[in-house]
Amino acid sequence: MTALQARLLGLACRGRLRAADAQEGLARCAARLGVEVSLADLAEALAGAVAAGLLRDPVCLEQGALQCHWRLEPTPEGHARAADLEFGQAPAGAAQAGAAPTGAAPAGEAQAGDAP
């Protein structure tokens, strides 16, 4: 797991983020992570975390919905890995990047469209 994937996982575990589409979802993630990152790098990290089974596929058509939406949501494996990270097991690549597995918005800064 890369440092950016760890940050995404931390963000996902602290509260589901929802958006109308992928572009908006990635932009919200970038803003909430608080680090300089291109949307292309963020999309690549997200795809890697989905492939590793840590995050659910962000494009979702929920039962009864008329259109898809985008969400950032961990899998059960993702929750377990996030718990490991909180107890000091750094992800591969985190030492080089110097990034901690955090990513929640500061208290009181939830964005419109975020799940409660």
Side-chain angles (χ1 to χ4, degrees), residues 24-112:
E24 179 185 343
L26 290 172
R28 283 186 180 190
C29 284
R32 301 268 306 267
L33 289 174
V35 295
E36 290 293 322
V37 61
S38 73
L39 295 185
D41 288 344
L42 194 56
E44 184 178 322
L46 178 62
V50 169
L54 301 173
L55 295 173
R56 297 188 191 282
D57 186 338
V59 177
C60 174
L61 179 63
E62 293 183 350
Q63 185 175 354
L66 298 177
Q67 66 184 37
C68 293
H69 69 275
W70 191 96
R71 72 196 174 174
L72 186 66
E73 184 177 340
T75 63
E77 173 66 20
H79 277 291
R81 288 293 301 273
D84 289 345
L85 292 173
E86 287 185 30
F87 291 106
Q89 294 181 2
Q96 296 86 357
T102 61
E109 290 189 24
Q111 297 180 1

